[in-house]
Amino acid sequence: MSFTIGRLISAPLALRVAPAHLVTGALVLAAVSLAVAAIPAAAPLAYTLAGLFLAPVFTTGLVWLTRVLPGGAAPTFVFAGAFLGPVLFSPVVGALRDTFGPAAIPLTLMGVALFDLAIVIGLRRLLRT
């Protein structure tokens, strides 16, 4: 539900905030929410907020990269990353959960969000947006 609400909120927000800034801010807020989700009592609210914050990342990232990358290659890279991410990281989340227990799940997801944030920051520097 929060993911759907986040998509609805991100549409008008994207008209006021540059796509690169929106994606960066969303990933920072998602990482913070996932860190808070490691506290069991706060987990329900923190996961709800993480869904809200992650909602604009894919669509806004697609718009941003389509604008700044010449030749129309952006959708290919964005969709490849979107399909490859779950394939690569799902086994990591599962393995860490098996090793360290359920408490590892939000911290592992936070690590994925921080990894994505590092990629976005690198792209912003590379593309100078």
Side-chain angles (χ1 to χ4, degrees), residues 3-55:
F3 198 79
T4 302
I5 293 170
R7 287 272 169 97
L8 293 172
I9 292 171
S10 67
L13 189 60
L15 297 173
R16 293 183 171 86
V17 180
H21 292 108
L22 183 56
V23 171
T24 304
L27 286 170
V28 167
L29 292 170
V32 170
S33 296
L34 290 164
V36 173
I39 303 166
L45 177 61
Y47 280 123
T48 300
L49 290 174
L52 185 72
F53 297 138
L54 287 172

Side-chain angles (χ1 to χ4, degrees), residues 23-28 31 111-123:
V23 171
T24 304
L27 286 170
V28 167
V112 173
L114 290 173
F115 177 73
D116 292 343
L117 180 62
I119 291 171
V120 167
I121 290 170
L123 283 171

Side-chain angles (χ1 to χ4, degrees), residues 34-35 37-39 47 102-111:
L34 290 164
I39 303 166
Y47 280 123
I105 294 172
L107 297 177
T108 305
L109 294 174
M110 181 191 70

Side-chain angles (χ1 to χ4, degrees), residues 81 84-96 108-109 111-112 115-116 119:
L84 191 59
V87 171
L88 293 176
F89 290 111
S90 293
V92 172
V93 173
L96 289 172
T108 305
L109 294 174
V112 173
F115 177 73
D116 292 343
I119 291 171

